[in-house]
Structures are given as structure tokens and as C-alpha cells.
Amino acid sequence: ILHPKRHLVIAVLEGVVFIFRRAFLGHKELESVWISSTVTAIEDKVFTNCESLSKITLADSVEVIGEATFSRSKISSIKIPY
């Protein structure tokens, strides 16, 4: 159960190599995502229709970002640490 006044943040932890197609599709409450350094690919439409998503932190290990991955989101910040 999600509290309506809380911010939902997702961390994709170490050991995950890729994020499957449409994994978080339509999660309207999702606001922020942190992706670990073991992730090398983010498939198509993973964050499509995540209407509250405004911030994502990617590792420099990400080599592939699929089609329409962030469509219909409010991404205003993508951080890629190096």
C-alpha cells in the first residue's frame, strides 16, 4: 500500500544486468530511480507512462536504452556518474 503523500523511489540493485521491457510501465506514483553499475541494458518502454518520474540516476555501465523508455514521464534530470 502506498501512502499518497510519500515519494516512491526505486533502486535497481547490484547483480541486475538488464531491465526487462515494460518493467515499470504505468507506475504513475514512481518519482525517482537509481540504477546500479551492473545494469548494461534498459529495454523498450521500461518507464513509459510513469507520469511522476522526474529523476533517474544511471551508472556509466548502461550501454543500451530501448525505444520510448522514458516516454510520457516528467524526466527533468538524468544523472550519469563517472
Side-chain angles (χ1 to χ4, degrees):
I1 298 174
L2 297 174
H3 188 281
K5 294 187 179 186
R6 292 192 182 155
H7 303 288
L8 183 61
V9 177
I10 290 181
V12 179
L13 302 176
E14 296 291 323
V16 174
V17 178
F18 60 92
I19 303 172
F20 285 104
R21 184 174 189 237
R22 300 180 177 186
F24 301 103
L25 177 78
H27 285 271
K28 295 179 182 184
E29 67 284 347
L30 180 60
E31 295 182 0
S32 181
V33 175
W34 177 85
I35 296 176
S36 75
S37 63
T38 58
V39 174
T40 59
I42 302 171
E43 293 187 347
D44 298 344
K45 300 180 181 180
V46 170
F47 300 107
T48 296
N49 291 331
C50 292
E51 296 172 356
S52 299
L53 181 60
S54 62
K55 180 180 176 185
I56 186 163
T57 301
L58 298 174
D60 63 358
S61 60
V62 176
E63 298 172 0
V64 175
I65 295 176
E67 183 178 327
T69 296
F70 304 109
S71 68
R72 287 174 254 149
S73 69
K74 292 182 179 177
I75 291 289
S76 61
S77 171
I78 296 179
K79 186 183 276 188
I80 305 173
Y82 53 92

